[in-house]
Amino acid sequence: MSFGARARLFTSRSVMAAALLASLGAVSPARAEDPEQAFRTASEQISNASQDAGAVDTAVARHNEPGRGPQQRIADAVLLMGVKDYDRAADVLNEIVEQYQNHSTAYPDGLNMLGETYFLSKQYLASRRVFMKFIEQGSDPRFSPYRERAAIRIVDIALRLRDFSSLDKLFSLVGSLGGEATSGLAYAKGKGLLAQGKIDAADASLRLVAADSAFYHQARHLVGVAAMMRVPPLDPKDAPRKGSAAALAAPTRFDQAVERFRDVTKLPGDTAEHRRVIDMAWLAIGRIKYEVGSFADAAEAYNRVDRTSPEFGTMLYELAWVYVKTGDFMRAQRALEVLAIAAPNSQDVADASLLRADLMLRAGQFEKSRKVYESVRASYETMRDRVAQFMAATKDPSVYFELLSSEQLEVFESGNALPTMALKWARDGEDGPTAFAVIDDVVLSRRLVKESNDMIERLNAVLASPNKIRAIPGLRVGAERGLGLVNALALARLKLGQGLDGIEADNLTAGLQQARAERKILEDRLGVVPVTSSDFATRDQQAKRQWNKASQELKRIELEVDTLQATINGLERVISDGPTQGVVRSPQDLESYRRSIEEQKKLVVQYHEAAVELRRVIEAAKLQVGFGDKRFVEDEEVRKQYTRALWREVKLAEQGEGGAALGAYARRARPLLLKADDTEAQVEGALKRLYELVTGKVLELRGLVKKETQNIVTYSFALEALDAEARLVVGGVAMRNFATVRDRLRNIVLRADVGITEEAWEVRESQQTRVRRLKVEKARTESRLQEELDEVLDDSGDADQETKNAQ
């Protein structure tokens, strides 16, 4: 069966299911009840409905009341941030910022959390734009508690994007704040100045951080960094002679920096962040001591880093090199083994593995070293090939930018999936954070535009449907309550009608028989009208279930299409790899195969497009079913017909056409029916007012949707313009970084191959040395045996000569 046939099949099934569902009756055939019991039940139902007749107006009034306050919505955003649902948190916070700009606490709280949300989701440009408001609006007293954190975040963003020139505006604004030059602002300014290379100004600003500040540890650590940056590097060409004054002074040139870092290690580790700063200070001391050749002091400093520290993996790799310098190869191996377990994703793990294999080789552990070399080659050779294939796909930076901006699934299907580690190395390369930030922003912006278009399409589907009240959930509650009351009155009439059936009638006239027959035909359908909120929910679930079945069928067809795509990919691979596998085909056969594959690929594209369209139709249908659909229209028609038939029967019975007993019961039922009619009119009046309010709200929503649609179009054009500007520059930077990654991977694989070769050579040399040693031992043994034999023979010859002389 073709895809189109299947689509038509399950679509027709869905339509049939909807029609069947609309005509179902869930109750048993109508039956006569005890007239008195039916009368009492109907009277109670009408009385209850009359008492609740004002429920619709109450629901409308509640809808007009203010909703959740800003503090409750901020609490919602905090929960969303806690579960790392940053997109929804940003939506909530943007609403708060837009609606409560004059609020004394909600606006600054929401703005601060919005900037933090953007920062945590790596939308750095948006985060910087938000945080700059706290600095730029220095006259607003509401922003005072947030300026320190905002300034620090702006500096953090500049460091991540390596956009140090943007900090000049921050420094000028911070200086204009005057009396608000707090420790946090001083720390932020010093950190930024240090990144710009302004060491003296940075040091002066960092020393303004008070000892009781939360940033004191970080500030003192940066003071040590500034002291280290002041030391000029030694020029290898002008290296001091051994024993000279310059040579003796070289190990002490970092003493001031070491002292500053030691001051940091003496501070209390009262928080996790402060403990990490202390560990980073020990790392800095270890590196300085390693640089000046004090390996024992370096090892002592490195061993002070806590095992739970995020810097523990870095420390192990650097400590291993300290042990290598001191000749303690066993400790170096142990440190590298722990690194492979404690930090398997570290950037140093490849170099660490190769170093461990080198140490094993030096220690004569040939078998172990060969296994490590082969493991490194197996891991990184595939990675190198993937990066090489990715880079070989195109040399055009714009196309390269587009490849990086595309979805990862599409990249994977094209055979150019990038390893995570390679992508991380490229991001950390030169200008990588800035370039990849632009790419990530483009990808995110495209996704947001697509989601916005989908949301607008769904809103338009709801607003254009008969149940447009679904767009206003608060009013839907009132509509359901009102409709439930109307249906409850209809069921009360049903009870009265069943009570009429329980009266023994005499000589029913033709008119009365016809009215009763019309009423009885409608009773089964009337019995399934929803009354309670549970009934409405059940009816919605039934409607959704039919479209879920269609969605499941479509999903199964999509899986078959994906299977077909995988088969096509496999056939293309078989054709391309045929010569390497020894399979030779004629050019005519290859051309025929390729034409067939191309035809199937075109069909797959058509199937995908049809599936997307059907998915859109199903999703739109899901939004349109439910409250206000065809079943509710049928409910209204059945209620009206039943009411007319019941009234006609009651009036005829009152005229005596069914006997005295039936006439008496009809006269008792008349006041209840009148009360039911009055209550229904009151409820329907409230529903009319509610629907008028819904109409006004829908018009407002349509205006907002139209406005947002225009905004999305504007954003799309702006995005395309920015994309065109960034394509060449960012694509070139990314391609350069990936070339560096490719070379690094090539070097790792080459070192592993050299290691394997060296291991084989060492094994050969070891075997040859052993053979030579055995030959020497053999020669020595043979020589010794020969000497002993000669001695024996000489002794024997002397004895024979003496015997002859004696004779």
Side-chain angles (χ1 to χ4, degrees), residues 122 161 400 404 418 422-443 730 733-735 737-738:
K122 298 183 180 181
L161 299 180
Y400 194 86
L404 288 178
L418 293 175
L423 190 60
K424 186 176 185 302
W425 288 354
R427 286 178 177 272
D428 294 338
E430 184 180 0
D431 297 327
T434 304
F436 280 92
V438 174
I439 294 174
D440 292 342
D441 288 342
V442 169
V443 174
V730 176
V733 171
M735 185 164 58
N737 284 9
F738 269 103

Side-chain angles (χ1 to χ4, degrees), residues 735-750:
M735 185 164 58
R736 182 197 62 195
N737 284 9
F738 269 103
T740 303
V741 172
R742 179 195 58 196
D743 296 340
R744 180 178 178 182
L745 292 172
R746 182 186 301 159
N747 182 51
I748 291 173
V749 175
L750 180 61

Side-chain angles (χ1 to χ4, degrees), residues 473-679:
L475 293 179
R476 178 182 173 177
V477 174
E480 285 187 356
R481 184 62 182 141
L483 190 57
L485 290 175
V486 173
N487 289 336
L489 292 172
L491 294 179
R493 296 188 184 97
L494 177 63
K495 284 293 182 182
L496 289 175
Q498 292 173 350
L500 289 173
D501 294 335
I503 301 295
E504 294 184 3
D506 299 329
N507 300 322
L508 294 177
T509 62
L512 185 60
Q513 289 180 356
Q514 182 180 1
R516 176 166 293 188
E518 292 178 0
R519 175 177 60 80
K520 285 181 173 293
I521 292 174
L522 299 170
E523 285 185 347
D524 285 347
R525 178 61 181 83
L526 184 63
V528 300
V529 294
V531 176
T532 65
S533 58
S534 177
D535 296 337
F536 284 99
T538 301
R539 178 172 279 196
D540 285 348
Q541 190 63 32
Q542 290 172 347
K544 290 178 180 179
R545 190 177 296 118
Q546 67 174 10
W547 289 108
N548 287 338
K549 291 180 180 178
S551 178
Q552 292 169 3
E553 179 67 15
L554 177 59
K555 186 63 177 179
R556 190 181 65 80
I557 295 175
E558 288 175 342
L559 290 175
E560 292 185 5
V561 175
D562 292 339
T563 302
L564 179 58
Q565 178 65 57
T567 303
I568 291 174
N569 295 339
L571 290 173
E572 289 180 331
R573 183 68 178 269
V574 169
I575 292 176
S576 62
D577 294 349
T580 61
Q581 302 295 329
V583 179
V584 180
R585 298 180 178 88
S586 65
Q588 295 79 7
D589 291 341
L590 290 176
E591 183 62 25
S592 175
Y593 294 155
R594 291 193 178 96
R595 284 199 303 267
S596 299
I597 290 176
E598 288 299 323
E599 292 177 359
Q600 295 300 319
K601 290 172 71 174
K602 292 179 181 178
L603 290 176
V604 168
V605 171
Q606 295 177 4
Y607 295 157
H608 277 299
E609 293 176 351
V612 170
E613 180 63 21
L614 287 173
R615 179 68 64 188
R616 187 187 64 80
V617 172
I618 290 174
E619 294 300 325
K622 286 182 179 180
L623 295 172
Q624 294 178 2
V625 299
F627 190 84
D629 61 11
K630 181 179 179 181
R631 296 165 301 168
F632 290 88
V633 176
E634 290 180 356
D635 290 344
E636 182 179 4
E637 185 64 27
V638 169
R639 285 196 310 268
K640 291 179 179 179
Q641 293 179 9
Y642 190 87
T643 301
R644 288 195 297 266
L646 180 61
W647 266 114
R648 188 163 62 252
E649 183 178 355
V650 168
K651 290 178 180 178
L652 292 174
E654 286 179 328
Q655 296 173 5
E657 295 190 11
L662 187 62
Y665 191 87
R667 284 188 289 275
R668 292 177 61 194
R670 170 179 282 274
L672 288 180
L673 291 176
L674 289 174
K675 184 177 181 180
D677 290 348
D678 292 340
T679 303

